[in-house]
Amino acid sequence: MDIFERLEALIDVPNTAAVEQARELLRQLEERSDGATDTIDQFLLDLMTVDFVVESCHPRFDAPARKLARIRLTMLKMLCGAPA
């Protein structure tokens, strides 16, 4: 499973451990890609937002927050040259 597939899976199971796993994966990705630092930071922030929304029991905002994280991940894939 590549980094992007693992990040996609973490969007579906947000929790503190998932955010920490994402940080590690994103560090690896940042080392291999130039110019994606801002998008990496934005994706991590979106994933943390999903975690917050899920933990604070706001089910109406759960789907939009996940969608935003997936859009940001797609942007990251494109910047890194990975197939979307």
Side-chain angles (χ1 to χ4, degrees):
M1 184 181 290
D2 78 337
I3 289 177
F4 294 109
E5 290 173 346
R6 292 168 62 191
L7 289 169
E8 177 93 30
L10 293 175
I11 293 172
D12 293 325
V13 289
N15 57 41
T16 306
V19 171
E20 290 307 313
Q21 285 179 326
R23 280 184 208 270
E24 285 300 315
L25 293 169
L26 292 169
R27 269 192 214 112
Q28 294 173 24
L29 192 59
E30 191 171 28
E31 292 170 1
R32 298 187 321 193
S33 63
D34 294 331
T37 305
D38 288 339
T39 307
I40 287 171
D41 292 342
Q42 292 169 355
F43 171 76
L44 186 57
L45 182 60
D46 290 343
L47 186 62
M48 292 167 73
T49 301
V50 171
D51 179 38
F52 172 77
V53 167
V54 169
E55 286 186 11
S56 48
C57 300
H58 293 291
R60 293 181 301 173
F61 301 116
D62 182 64
R66 288 178 200 271
K67 182 177 180 179
L68 180 60
R70 282 191 172 81
I71 289 169
R72 191 81 66 189
L73 183 59
T74 300
M75 291 171 54
L76 187 57
K77 286 179 186 178
M78 291 185 330
L79 281 173
C80 293

